Amino acid sequence: MNDPHSSSPRRASTWLAILALLLAGAVFAAQWVRERAAANAPLAASAAASSQHPLGAVSSDRLLRIRVRDSVDGGALDANVSVHPLDAGAQVRALAADPSVRGARSAALAAGEYELRIGAAGHQRLSTRVRIDAAQPLPLTVWLPPTVSSDALDRLALKAAACARCAVFSGRVFDAASGDPLAGARVRSSQGRRTRSDRDGYFELPAQLPVEASAADALPATLDLTVESPGHRGRVFAGLPLLNDARALIVDLEPGQGLARSDRRHVQQRARASADLQRPMPAADAAQARADADAAARPLDPARPATVARAQALAAQSANVPVPASIRVGTNCSGRSCSSVSVYAFEDYVGRGLDEEWIASWNPQSLAAGAVAYRSYAAYYVAHPINGRYDICASTSCQAFDGDSVSATVAAAAATRGVVLTRDGASAAFSEYSSENNAWDDPSDGLSCVNTDLSCGNGRNGSPRNGWPCLSDEVGRGRGCFGHGRGMSQWGTQRWAANNGRDWRWIANHYFNGNNAPGGQRNAYLANDGAGPGPGAVVLDDFETGVGRFDSAPTYSGSTVGISAASLAQRDCATRRNGACSLRVLLKDDPGVASAWSVRLLSGGGTPANNVELIRAGGRVGLWIYTGGSGLRAALSVDDSDGTERSVERAIPANQWTYLEWTLADDAHWNAWAGASNGRIDAAGVRLDAVWLLREQTSFDVNLYLDDVQIVH
C-alpha cells in the first residue's frame, strides 16, 4: 500500500529495500559460516557465536539450521525452502543459504509456529511444522524422495537372490560437514571383503551367509562394516544383519581421527542381551508410554457397548482415514530425548524403518502385517506428538528407526501403502506390538517378560489388566513371553505367515480385533485397505481408451467454484490403479476468487440421458482415487426422480490409491442438493450426475487421478 503522506520517490524506496535485503543476506551468510567454524570450539565459544544475529534480528530470535537431502542416496539437494508464519508472533527475520554446506539453509526466526515447505527438481515436495521457543532449535534435515521411484535396491536384491547365501551391502559416503561425496573411502567387512567408494561416494560390497541352516526361530547372523576416509573419523556399523537381500546405507563421516562404533544389531538381538527389559527405556519415558496407551484406551472403554458396535460397523465397511504426508523423527536419541530432527515422507519412513522392528528375512506376509502396525503407530504419534519439536523418536522408547533401507521391508511397506488400523473410523489407532506375546514366562529361556498380567496362560495372548482381552494364539504355545502382551506378536506374525499360510490382512485382524470378535483394546480394524469393491462390480468408466463420460472440463459446470479455466481432465497412462490408464484431473487456483474449491466434475455433461441407469436396490457406487496432496475430499451427486442428491464427503488419503464408495439405499450417505431433492435416493432407477472434488483454497496446483468408476450390486 502507498503512503499518501510520503514525499520520497517510489523508485528510491524500492532500491533501498532491495539494498537492505542484500545486506541482510550477506551478513546472515557470514554469520552462518562463523557459527559453523565455532561448532568444534568450547561450549562457551559456541554460545557466544549463537548469540550473534543477522541484520534485522533481535536477541530473542533463534537460528534454525536446515539441510535438504535425497532420501534414497543421501545426496545434497539444491532445494527451494520457504518458511511461513502460522501465528501472530511468528516472524521470519532472514532466510539464507550456507555456501559452505551443500543443501543447507538457515533461518532467523522469532518465537512462534511456522510451516516449512521444501521442494527440489525431480523430487516430491514436503511440508513440516516447526515451533520456535526459548530453547535453541534442533538441526533439521529434510529427506525428499525422488518423484520417480528408484529400482537400484531391487536390482541389488535380485543379485543377492541369484546366490542363495549372498547378501549385498551398498551405500554412499559423505563428508558430514560439507555434504560432499567422499571418493576413495575404504569399506571393509568382518568377513574380509574390501572395496572403495567411487567419485560419487558409492560403494557395493557382497557378503556370504553362513553355510549351516539357521533354526526357524533364530535371529540372523551378523557382520561388521567399517568405512574410513583420510582426515575423517571412521565408522564401524557393528552387528548388521546378514540377509539374502540388499541393504543400502547413507554414511556420513565427521572430520577427525579414530573410529566411532555404532551398535546396528536388530532391536531384538540387543534386547535379548539386556538383563532387564525387552524394550529398555528410562522410567519417565516408560511412564509416558503407559500414559499414551491409557489416553488411547479411554474413548474405547470395553464396558461401553457403543464402542463394540462401532468396531463391528468398521468391520463391515473399510473406513477411510487420512494418513500423514510427512513425519518429524527425533534422531540421535537417548530414550525420548533427541538432539536432531529428520523429516521424511511418511511412507518413506515406514519402508526405511520396518526392518528395525521386524526381521527383514521373514515371510512377506509377516512383513506386510508388520508394516500396518508400524505405520499405524507412527500415524498416531503424528497426531499426538511426543513434544513440540518432533512427532516420534527413533529409539526403542518410541519405535526403532534408521535411514537404511532393505529391499524386502521397502516392498512390504509399498504393498500395504496407506493401510492403517483405526478404532473410530477417523484416526489411526495406537497399535502396540512386541516380540513374543504368549502369556507364559518360561523360567529357563533367559528372556525378559514385561507383561504385568499373565492370566491368559500358555497358548494365548493378552493382558486383561491393561485392556487387552485374551486371544487364542496357538502359534506361540511353549514360547516364553518376551514383551508386554499387548497388540500384535511379532514372532506370531511370522509363524502365522510362514507355517500356516495366513495373509497380512488375516494376521492384522487376528491380533487387533480377534478376527471380528472385538473387545477392549482388541478393537481396531483396517482402514484404507484398498481391497476394492469385490465381485459384482460393473465398471462405468475405466479410461482405457479415452475420458469416457467425463468429457467436460472441470470448470464446465456452473456449480464449480474456486478453480481457473486452466484446470483440465484428460486420460493419463503414467498413473493408474487398474488396467493401463486413468483420468488425470489437474486443478489450478483461480486467484480472483477467495473461496474454497468445489469442483463438480460432470459425468455425461450432467445430462441424465447420457449416463447409465443404476439400480438402487443393493447398489453401491464407487471409484478409485489418488492424490499427491493432503486436504482433498470427494463426493458424488446422483439424479433421481425428485432432483439431484449429493453424497456425504469422504477424505482422500494422500499418496495412495483409495477406493471410495457410497450406498444408494443408505439415507445416511445422502443430502438434498438441487431441484425438489429430499436427501434420499428413492427412485428405482437413478443415474450418476458428477464426482465432486473439494478442498480449502491453495495456490498450489493439485493433481489427482480417477480410475474404474463403478456400480456394485
Side-chain angles (χ1 to χ4, degrees), residues 304-330:
R304 296 169 57 199
T307 65
V308 175
R310 178 60 178 157
Q312 290 170 334
L314 288 173
Q317 180 177 344
S318 177
N320 293 299
V321 171
V323 177
S326 65
I327 184 169
R328 302 174 301 165
V329 184

Side-chain angles (χ1 to χ4, degrees), residues 358-374:
W358 261 252
I359 296 172
S361 57
W362 280 356
N363 185 280
Q365 297 298 324
S366 164
L367 299 180
V372 172
Y374 192 93

Side-chain angles (χ1 to χ4, degrees), residues 485-496:
R486 303 188 296 273
M488 182 178 276
S489 171
Q490 292 172 274
W491 277 99
T493 68
Q494 166 65 356
R495 297 185 192 115
W496 280 117

Side-chain angles (χ1 to χ4, degrees), residues 312-321 419-420 422 425 505 525-532 650 658-661:
Q312 290 170 334
L314 288 173
Q317 180 177 344
S318 177
N320 293 299
V321 171
V419 179
V420 295
T422 183
R505 290 185 177 88
Y525 284 85
L526 297 173
N528 313 329
D529 185 353
R650 300 203 188 284
T658 301
Y659 185 73
L660 302 181
E661 186 177 74

Side-chain angles (χ1 to χ4, degrees), residues 409-426:
T409 44
V410 170
T416 60
R417 186 179 182 90
V419 179
V420 295
L421 292 149
T422 183
R423 292 190 174 93
D424 59 7

Side-chain angles (χ1 to χ4, degrees), residues 572-651:
D572 184 277
C573 297
T575 302
R576 73 277 189 191
R577 173 57 175 80
N578 299 312
C581 303
S582 67
L583 181 73
R584 176 195 177 213
V585 182
L586 170 63
L587 303 180
K588 289 179 169 287
D589 185 47
D590 182 349
V593 177
S595 60
W597 293 358
S598 181
V599 179
R600 183 184 176 203
L601 188 65
L602 292 169
S603 176
T607 301
N610 293 340
N611 288 304
V612 176
E613 185 174 14
L614 313 176
I615 306 303
R616 172 178 175 272
R620 307 190 310 274
V621 183
L623 71 158
W624 288 98
I625 191 164
Y626 179 101
T627 176
S630 59
L632 205 67
R633 309 180 307 283
L636 300 180
S637 51
V638 167
D639 293 314
D640 72 349
S641 58
D642 54 14
T644 304
E645 320 291 343
R646 189 165 128 174
S647 73
V648 295
E649 299 171 7
R650 300 203 188 284

Side-chain angles (χ1 to χ4, degrees), residues 404-477:
D404 298 356
S405 52
V406 176
S407 176
T409 44
V410 170
T416 60
R417 186 179 182 90
V419 179
V420 295
L421 292 149
T422 183
R423 292 190 174 93
D424 59 7
S427 61
F430 186 71
S431 54
E432 295 184 272
Y433 56 84
S434 67
S435 179
E436 190 77 76
N437 276 1
N438 188 37
W440 172 67
D441 190 4
D442 184 348
S444 61
D445 66 2
L447 300 181
S448 180
C449 175
V450 295
N451 189 349
T452 58
D453 180 5
L454 295 175
S455 61
C456 292
N458 197 358
R460 293 164 69 80
N461 284 186
S463 186
R465 184 183 303 168
N466 296 295
W468 286 89
C470 299
L471 172 74
S472 177
D473 199 51
E474 283 296 312
V475 296
R477 181 176 291 276

